[in-house]
Every structure is written in structure tokens, then in C-alpha cells.
Amino acid sequence: MAARIGGSVLVTGSNRGIGLELVRQLAESTSAPAQIFAACRDLYGAQALKELAQRHPHLLTIVRLDVADPVSISEASRVVGDKLIDGSLNLIINNAAINGPAVNNGNNPPGTLAVTGKKEMVDLFVTNAVGPMLIAKEFRSYLQKAADQSGPVTTGMSCSRAAIINISTLLSSVEKCRETFSMAPMYPYRASKAALNMLTCCLAEDFQRDGILVMAIHPGWVKTDMGGPNAPVTTEDSAKGILHVMSTLTEKDNGSLLDWEGNGIPW
């Protein structure tokens, strides 16, 4: 079961993989949040999420949100705002992401320089970095209200107070690139997630005066559509680890990058 994450929570990319499992564990926790907003781009294909919502009708609300579409983000913010119990949102988990089309060019696997062009780079930057930035901007007032209701900033930061958690990756680490590049070149994915890391640091500096914690988590190499069948970590274990790490975060973790087991990763 999930560790204690209180208040109201928004999870993007929740129709499958890690996002779906995060929502499931939150909803089935003995100490579930008061409200869970499960956001996804394609409502028609989100059958597993719909079934989960039917089991938790008073807790879980499905919201259409395409992180690559500013209009969709604005509309989702309005929908969530109208449904929030007290107008405050405690936690955003920016999980939605793409790693690019599975194109191949001879002996060049997806993501290599040979098959990467402007479109591949721009598409991933829009989804993986611009989307989370716009979400932080659109939903900021709800987070601010949650932080204000928790008392003065001196009382500390936490995911139960107000926080944004960006799901990043070990492959985003510039320092670790020499160690990881040969196993997964993935130019657009690495670069866009490195941009997400910088966004995380900027938001952490900007939002800390309001008592809003912002940091990034690497979920591990997870057995999902994106991670592939050979990944060693299950979605269940990854989500459980992410939720446990989030439940332990304080102001000392603001602007940091940790993995799903709580270990620090260099930028």
C-alpha cells in the first residue's frame, strides 16, 4: 500500500504504466488522499483507469489533460479547480512523458543521432519539459492556497503541504552520461529530461517562498511500454518506492533529483 500522501493529488499520464499504478496505490491506500485527479490525454483508451474510478467513485476523478496542448492544460486546471473541495491542491506528480517514435534506420536504433531530426527533438521537448512548465504555471494558485492553509513557510515543506514532483530519469544526468550513453543513446529523451531537470531547479527556487516543494524523481528502469519487457523493476515496486520517497521529503530535498529508493543522482 502507498505511504501517507494527504490532501488532494493530481497525477498526469495516469492511463497506463507508472502513472496508473501510482493512482491505484494511492486510491487503495488505507490512508488515501481526500481527492485524486487522474489526468490523461486519451480518455477513450483509458479502460483500466475507468475501471479503477468505478471502484472509487467518491475519491477518483478522471480529467482529460494533454500536456502538449496549452489549451488542454488550461481547461484541465479549470475543471480541477471547480472540483477541489476547498480550492487547494497539495500535490502534482508530473508523470506524463514520451520517449519518441520507435523508428529505425538500418542498424541505427531509435533515438540515435542518425534518426533524430528537428521534429523528434521538438516533440519531446514540448511534452517532457514545456508541458510540466505550463502545468506548474496553471495550477500554481491551487498549490499556493494549500501551502497557505498549512501555516507559515517556517513550518517546513512536504508533499502533504504543497509540492510538485517531476518524474525524471537517470538518463537525464549530464554527469552520468558517459556511464549510460552506450546502453541508451536516446538523444531527444535525454535532452528533454535534462531540460526538465533545469525546470525543476528553477521552480524550486521560485516556489520556495510560498512553501511549495519542487523536486524530481527517477522511477528506475521500469517494465512499461516505454521501459520495455527487459526492465528489471515492476510498475508496482517503482510506484511504491516513489510514494515512499515522496512521503519522506522535506525542505532539504527541494530542488533535488532522487531515485525511487531515495538515493541522490548528480545533475
Side-chain angles (χ1 to χ4, degrees), residues 246-265:
M246 290 197 304
S247 72
T248 67
L249 297 175
T250 67
E251 56 274 6
K252 68 178 177 59
D253 301 299
N254 193 44
S256 66
L257 172 59
L258 304 176
D259 70 14
W260 63 290
E261 296 178 306
N263 303 303
I265 297 176

Side-chain angles (χ1 to χ4, degrees), residues 103 109-121 186-189:
V103 295
T112 58
L113 188 61
V115 297
T116 297
K118 176 182 177 181
K119 185 179 188 311
E120 289 74 28
M121 290 294 286
M186 301 174 71
Y187 275 74
Y189 186 66

Side-chain angles (χ1 to χ4, degrees), residues 24-36:
R24 185 190 71 78
Q25 291 192 24
L26 284 167
E28 295 179 357
S29 171
T30 54
S31 55
Q35 291 180 287
I36 302 172

Side-chain angles (χ1 to χ4, degrees), residues 26 47 58 113 127 140 164 206 211 233 260:
L26 284 167
Q47 188 58 38
H58 302 296
L113 188 61
T127 296
R140 183 176 189 173
I164 296 176
D206 192 7
V233 182
W260 63 290

Side-chain angles (χ1 to χ4, degrees), residues 57-73:
H58 302 296
L59 172 63
L60 179 55
T61 301
I62 299 176
V63 179
R64 185 186 181 279
L65 194 162
D66 181 352
V67 298
D69 181 359
V71 175
S72 176
I73 294 172

Side-chain angles (χ1 to χ4, degrees), residues 125-142:
F125 265 80
V126 168
T127 296
N128 296 350
V130 178
M133 182 273 291
L134 293 176
I135 288 171
K137 182 178 179 179
E138 288 287 343
F139 286 83
R140 183 176 189 173
S141 61
Y142 306 139

